[in-house]
Coordinates of all heavy atoms in Angstrom, one line a residue:
P30 N 0.8 -1.2 0.0 CA 0.0 0.0 0.0 C 0.9 1.3 0.0 O 2.0 1.3 0.5 CB -0.8 -0.1 1.3 CG -0.1 -1.1 2.1 CD 0.6 -2.0 1.2
M31 N 0.3 2.3 -0.5 CA 1.1 3.6 -0.7 C 1.7 4.1 0.6 O 2.8 4.6 0.6 CB 0.2 4.6 -1.4 CG 1.0 5.8 -1.9 SD 2.1 5.4 -3.2 CE 1.0 5.3 -4.6
P32 N 0.9 4.1 1.7 CA 1.6 4.6 2.9 C 2.8 3.9 3.3 O 3.8 4.5 3.8 CB 0.5 4.5 4.0 CG -0.8 4.5 3.2 CD -0.5 3.8 1.9
M33 N 2.8 2.6 3.1 CA 4.0 1.7 3.4 C 5.2 2.1 2.4 O 6.3 2.3 2.9 CB 3.7 0.3 3.2 CG 4.8 -0.7 3.6 SD 4.6 -2.4 3.0 CE 5.4 -2.3 1.3
L34 N 4.9 2.3 1.2 CA 5.9 2.7 0.2 C 6.5 4.0 0.5 O 7.7 4.3 0.3 CB 5.3 2.6 -1.2 CG 4.8 1.2 -1.7 CD1 4.3 1.3 -3.1 CD2 6.0 0.2 -1.6
K35 N 5.6 5.0 0.9 CA 6.1 6.3 1.2 C 7.1 6.2 2.4 O 8.1 6.9 2.4 CB 4.9 7.2 1.6 CG 5.3 8.6 1.9 CD 4.1 9.5 2.3 CE 4.5 10.9 2.7 NZ 3.3 11.7 3.0
A36 N 6.7 5.5 3.4 CA 7.5 5.3 4.6 C 8.9 4.7 4.3 O 9.9 5.1 4.8 CB 6.8 4.5 5.7
L37 N 8.8 3.7 3.4 CA 10.1 3.0 3.0 C 11.0 4.0 2.1 O 12.2 3.9 2.2 CB 9.8 1.8 2.2 CG 9.3 0.6 3.0 CD1 8.7 -0.5 2.1 CD2 10.4 0.0 3.9
A38 N 10.3 4.8 1.3 CA 11.1 5.8 0.5 C 11.8 6.7 1.4 O 13.0 7.1 1.2 CB 10.2 6.5 -0.5
E39 N 11.1 7.2 2.4 CA 11.7 8.1 3.4 C 12.8 7.5 4.2 O 13.9 8.1 4.5 CB 10.6 8.7 4.3 CG 9.6 9.6 3.6 CD 8.4 9.9 4.5 OE1 8.3 9.3 5.5 OE2 7.6 10.8 4.1
Y40 N 12.6 6.2 4.5 CA 13.6 5.4 5.3 C 14.9 5.2 4.4 O 16.0 5.4 4.9 CB 13.0 4.1 5.7 CG 13.9 3.2 6.5 CD1 14.0 3.3 7.9 CD2 14.8 2.3 5.9 CE1 14.8 2.5 8.7 CE2 15.6 1.5 6.7 CZ 15.7 1.6 8.0 OH 16.5 0.8 8.8
A41 N 14.7 4.9 3.2 CA 15.8 4.7 2.3 C 16.6 6.0 2.1 O 17.8 6.0 2.1 CB 15.3 4.2 0.9
D42 N 15.9 7.1 1.9 CA 16.5 8.4 1.8 C 17.3 8.7 3.0 O 18.5 9.2 2.9 CB 15.5 9.4 1.5 CG 16.1 10.8 1.1 OD1 16.9 10.8 0.2 OD2 15.9 11.7 1.9
E43 N 16.8 8.5 4.2 CA 17.4 8.8 5.4 C 18.7 8.0 5.6 O 19.7 8.5 6.1 CB 16.5 8.5 6.6 CG 17.1 8.8 8.0 CD 16.2 8.5 9.1 OE1 15.0 8.1 8.9 OE2 16.6 8.6 10.3
Y44 N 18.7 6.7 5.2 CA 19.9 5.9 5.4 C 20.7 5.7 4.1 O 21.6 4.8 4.1 CB 19.4 4.5 5.9 CG 18.9 4.6 7.4 CD1 17.6 4.8 7.7 CD2 19.8 4.5 8.4 CE1 17.1 4.9 9.0 CE2 19.4 4.6 9.7 CZ 18.0 4.8 10.0 OH 17.6 4.9 11.3
G45 N 20.5 6.5 3.1 CA 21.3 6.4 1.9 C 21.2 5.1 1.1 O 22.2 4.7 0.6
M46 N 20.0 4.6 1.1 CA 19.8 3.3 0.4 C 19.0 3.5 -0.9 O 18.2 4.5 -1.0 CB 18.9 2.3 1.3 CG 19.6 2.0 2.6 SD 18.4 1.1 3.7 CE 18.2 -0.5 2.8
E47 N 19.3 2.7 -1.9 CA 18.5 2.7 -3.1 C 17.2 2.1 -2.8 O 17.1 1.2 -2.0 CB 19.3 2.0 -4.2 CG 18.6 2.0 -5.6 CD 19.3 1.2 -6.6 OE1 20.5 0.8 -6.4 OE2 18.8 1.0 -7.7
A48 N 16.1 2.5 -3.5 CA 14.8 1.8 -3.3 C 14.1 1.7 -4.6 O 13.9 2.7 -5.3 CB 14.0 2.6 -2.3
Q49 N 13.6 0.5 -4.9 CA 12.7 0.3 -6.0 C 11.4 -0.1 -5.5 O 11.3 -1.1 -4.7 CB 13.3 -0.8 -6.9 CG 14.6 -0.5 -7.6 CD 15.0 -1.7 -8.5 OE1 14.2 -2.4 -9.1 NE2 16.3 -1.8 -8.7
I50 N 10.3 0.6 -5.9 CA 9.0 0.4 -5.3 C 8.0 0.0 -6.4 O 8.0 0.6 -7.5 CB 8.5 1.6 -4.5 CG1 8.5 2.8 -5.4 CG2 9.3 1.8 -3.3 CD1 7.8 4.0 -4.7
S51 N 7.1 -0.9 -6.2 CA 6.1 -1.4 -7.1 C 4.8 -0.8 -6.6 O 4.3 -1.1 -5.5 CB 6.0 -2.9 -7.2 OG 5.0 -3.3 -8.1
L52 N 4.2 0.1 -7.5 CA 2.9 0.8 -7.1 C 1.7 -0.1 -7.4 O 1.6 -0.6 -8.5 CB 2.8 2.1 -7.8 CG 4.0 3.1 -7.6 CD1 3.7 4.4 -8.3 CD2 4.3 3.3 -6.1
E53 N 0.8 -0.1 -6.4 CA -0.5 -0.8 -6.6 C -1.5 0.2 -7.0 O -1.7 1.2 -6.4 CB -0.9 -1.5 -5.4 CG 0.0 -2.7 -4.9 CD -0.5 -3.4 -3.7 OE1 -1.1 -2.7 -2.8 OE2 -0.3 -4.6 -3.6
E54 N -2.2 0.0 -8.1 CA -3.1 1.0 -8.6 C -4.2 0.3 -9.5 O -3.9 -0.7 -10.1 CB -2.4 2.0 -9.5 CG -3.3 3.2 -9.9 CD -4.0 3.9 -8.8 OE1 -3.3 4.6 -8.1 OE2 -5.2 3.8 -8.7
R55 N -5.4 0.8 -9.4 CA -6.4 0.2 -10.3 C -6.1 0.6 -11.8 O -5.6 1.7 -12.0 CB -7.8 0.8 -10.0 CG -8.4 0.3 -8.7 CD -9.8 0.8 -8.4 NE -10.4 0.3 -7.2 CZ -11.0 -0.9 -7.1 NH1 -11.1 -1.6 -8.2 NH2 -11.5 -1.3 -6.0
M56 N -6.2 -0.4 -12.6 CA -5.9 -0.2 -14.0 C -7.0 -0.5 -14.9 O -7.9 -1.3 -14.6 CB -4.7 -1.0 -14.4 CG -3.4 -0.7 -13.6 SD -2.0 -1.8 -14.1 CE -0.8 -1.4 -12.8
A57 N -7.0 0.1 -16.1 CA -8.1 -0.2 -17.1 C -7.5 -1.0 -18.3 O -7.6 -2.2 -18.3 CB -8.8 1.1 -17.5
C58 N -6.8 -0.3 -19.1 CA -6.3 -1.0 -20.3 C -5.1 -1.8 -20.0 O -4.9 -2.9 -20.7 CB -5.9 0.1 -21.4 SG -4.5 1.0 -21.1
G59 N -4.2 -1.4 -19.1 CA -3.0 -2.2 -18.8 C -1.9 -2.0 -19.7 O -0.8 -2.6 -19.5
I60 N -2.0 -1.2 -20.8 CA -1.0 -1.0 -21.7 C -0.6 0.4 -22.0 O 0.1 0.8 -22.9 CB -1.3 -1.7 -23.1 CG1 -2.6 -1.1 -23.6 CG2 -1.5 -3.2 -22.9 CD1 -3.0 -1.6 -25.0
G61 N -1.1 1.3 -21.1 CA -0.6 2.7 -21.2 C -1.4 3.6 -22.1 O -1.1 4.8 -22.3
A62 N -2.5 3.1 -22.7 CA -3.3 3.9 -23.6 C -4.3 4.9 -23.0 O -4.6 5.9 -23.5 CB -4.0 3.0 -24.6
C63 N -4.9 4.5 -21.9 CA -6.1 5.2 -21.4 C -5.7 6.3 -20.3 O -6.5 7.1 -20.0 CB -7.1 4.2 -20.8 SG -6.5 3.4 -19.2
L64 N -4.5 6.2 -19.8 CA -4.0 7.1 -18.8 C -4.9 7.1 -17.5 O -5.0 8.0 -16.7 CB -4.0 8.6 -19.3 CG -3.2 8.9 -20.5 CD1 -3.2 10.3 -20.9 CD2 -1.8 8.4 -20.3
G65 N -5.5 5.9 -17.3 CA -6.3 5.7 -16.1 C -5.6 5.4 -14.8 O -6.1 5.6 -13.7
C66 N -4.3 5.1 -14.9 CA -3.5 4.8 -13.7 C -2.2 5.6 -13.8 O -1.3 5.3 -14.6 CB -3.2 3.3 -13.6 SG -2.2 2.6 -15.0
I67 N -2.2 6.7 -13.1 CA -1.0 7.6 -13.1 C -0.6 7.9 -11.7 O -1.4 7.8 -10.7 CB -1.3 8.9 -13.9 CG1 -2.4 9.7 -13.2 CG2 -1.6 8.6 -15.3 CD1 -2.6 11.1 -13.8
C68 N 0.7 8.3 -11.6 CA 1.2 8.8 -10.3 C 2.0 10.0 -10.6 O 2.5 10.2 -11.7 CB 2.0 7.7 -9.5 SG 3.6 7.3 -10.3
K69 N 2.1 10.9 -9.6 CA 2.9 12.1 -9.7 C 4.4 11.8 -9.7 O 4.8 10.9 -8.9 CB 2.5 13.1 -8.6 CG 1.1 13.6 -8.7 CD 0.9 14.7 -7.6 CE -0.5 15.2 -7.7 NZ -0.8 16.2 -6.7
T70 N 5.1 12.5 -10.5 CA 6.6 12.2 -10.6 C 7.3 13.6 -10.5 O 6.7 14.6 -10.8 CB 7.0 11.5 -11.8 OG1 6.5 12.2 -13.0 CG2 6.4 10.1 -11.8
K71 N 8.6 13.5 -10.2 CA 9.4 14.7 -10.2 C 9.8 15.2 -11.6 O 10.0 16.4 -11.8 CB 10.7 14.5 -9.3 CG 10.4 14.2 -7.9 CD 11.6 13.9 -7.1 CE 11.2 13.6 -5.6 NZ 12.4 13.1 -4.8
E72 N 9.9 14.3 -12.5 CA 10.2 14.7 -13.9 C 9.0 14.6 -14.8 O 8.0 13.9 -14.5 CB 11.3 13.7 -14.4 CG 12.6 13.7 -13.6 CD 13.3 15.0 -13.6 OE1 13.2 15.7 -14.7 OE2 14.0 15.3 -12.7
K73 N 9.0 15.3 -15.9 CA 7.9 15.3 -16.8 C 7.9 14.0 -17.6 O 8.9 13.5 -18.0 CB 8.0 16.5 -17.8 CG 7.7 17.9 -17.1 CD 7.6 18.9 -18.1 CE 7.4 20.3 -17.5 NZ 6.1 20.4 -16.8
D74 N 6.7 13.5 -17.8 CA 6.5 12.3 -18.6 C 6.7 12.6 -20.0 O 6.0 13.5 -20.5 CB 5.2 11.6 -18.3 CG 4.9 10.4 -19.1 OD1 5.7 9.5 -19.1 OD2 3.8 10.4 -19.8
H75 N 7.4 11.8 -20.8 CA 7.6 12.0 -22.2 C 6.3 11.8 -23.0 O 6.2 12.4 -24.1 CB 8.7 11.1 -22.8 CG 8.3 9.6 -22.8 ND1 8.4 8.8 -21.7 CD2 7.7 8.9 -23.8 CE1 7.9 7.6 -22.1 NE2 7.5 7.6 -23.3

């Protein structure tokens, strides 16, 4: 769940660890066409 991933991201940042996180989200098409499942990012999406 997102609260867990957020806490782990903060923990990794605090202790200088790399972190790869898998986001759980409701999806529609599953192939990127509908934009139904998005998350905010620091960089602009191409």
Side-chain angles (χ1 to χ4, degrees):
M31 194 63 81
M33 184 195 90
L34 298 180
K35 180 181 180 181
L37 287 168
E39 293 171 349
Y40 183 88
D42 186 60
E43 179 181 355
Y44 289 93
M46 300 170 69
E47 183 180 349
Q49 295 181 30
I50 57 174
S51 180
L52 303 183
E53 295 182 324
E54 184 59 69
R55 289 185 178 275
M56 299 178 187
C58 72
I60 58 174
C63 71
L64 304 181
C66 61
I67 60 172
C68 70
K69 292 183 179 180
T70 55
K71 295 177 182 176
E72 301 296 329
K73 290 186 183 296
D74 176 54
H75 69 277

